[in-house]
Amino acid sequence: MEKKKFYVNVGAGEISQEKYDNNEEFIIHATEDEVAILRDKFNLMHEAGIKTFFRAHVPINPYHNDRSNDYYDDEMTQAYQMIYELGEAETKSHIEQMGILGDEHM
């Protein structure tokens, strides 16, 4: 499959071939299949985020004992790893500066 240029905004969960507003947080080159996988990761992050919202309203359940938070963190790390692997040089540099993946993932 042919790789195409996509603009990615992780916070908004957006992946687009069109540049608009502030969606160019990261630029990647990916196949349609790779974009579908990344979209799935964003959807899973969103679902886990909703679960963590509800858990936050139960004060007897501490953050560090919440599977939803761990799941969200894992999916987010996997999404950034994928963006890093598919990203342009500037995207890779930005993610390296964030330090989110650690040295072992790059």
Side-chain angles (χ1 to χ4, degrees), residues 43-80:
N43 288 338
L44 292 170
M45 286 170 54
H46 178 73
E47 290 172 17
I50 290 171
K51 290 177 183 176
T52 61
F53 171 80
F54 288 112
R55 193 259 347 129
H57 292 86
V58 180
I60 60 170
N61 189 6
Y63 174 88
H64 64 279
N65 287 336
D66 184 15
R67 286 188 195 165
S68 295
N69 286 325
D70 294 338
Y71 188 69
Y72 180 89
D73 292 347
D74 290 343
E75 289 299 325
M76 183 178 62
T77 301
Q78 289 176 28
Y80 275 108

Side-chain angles (χ1 to χ4, degrees), residues 1 16 19 21 25 38 41 49 64 67 71 74 96 103 105:
M1 286 181 119
S16 177
K19 182 179 175 185
D21 289 336
E25 180 182 23
L38 187 56
K41 294 197 177 304
H64 64 279
R67 286 188 195 165
Y71 188 69
D74 290 343
E96 287 171 3
D103 294 334
H105 292 284

